Amino acid sequence: MNQLNCQHCGGNVNIGDTNCPNCGIPLPKNLGKNPQKKFIIFFIGVVLFCLFMIWWLPPNWIESMGKN
Ligand SMILES: [Zn+2]
């Protein structure tokens, strides 16, 4: 499946086009690629960041912040 629809005008656009051939609107670069892949990578990054913060911060960091 190489044909996609322009989100602006609904016309057919090809994967790799930078602009819609019908209305000329710039097309997103990730058109035709799986957008969920980026989200999953972002989500894994957030989870790793949370795990790092849990490991890095002492268990009583809320109490220590209140004292300072
Ligand atoms: Zn269009």
Side-chain angles (χ1 to χ4, degrees):
M1 182 177 170
N2 292 325
Q3 288 286 318
L4 294 160
N5 289 333
C6 172
Q7 291 182 340
H8 184 70
C9 70
N12 288 333
V13 292
N14 294 313
I15 292 175
D17 285 349
T18 54
N19 291 72
C20 175
N22 295 305
C23 65
I25 196 169
L27 298 169
K29 284 181 181 176
N30 62 346
L31 189 73
K33 295 175 183 174
N34 191 357
Q36 284 186 332
K37 204 172 183 180
K38 262 188 177 179
F39 178 77
I40 289 167
I41 291 168
F42 172 77
F43 184 77
I44 290 170
V46 170
V47 170
L48 286 174
F49 178 75
C50 289
L51 288 172
F52 174 76
M53 292 305 282
I54 290 167
W55 168 80
W56 183 66
L57 290 170
N60 61 339
W61 66 275
I62 295 172
E63 293 174 26
S64 60
M65 276 184 78
K67 285 174 185 173
N68 293 335

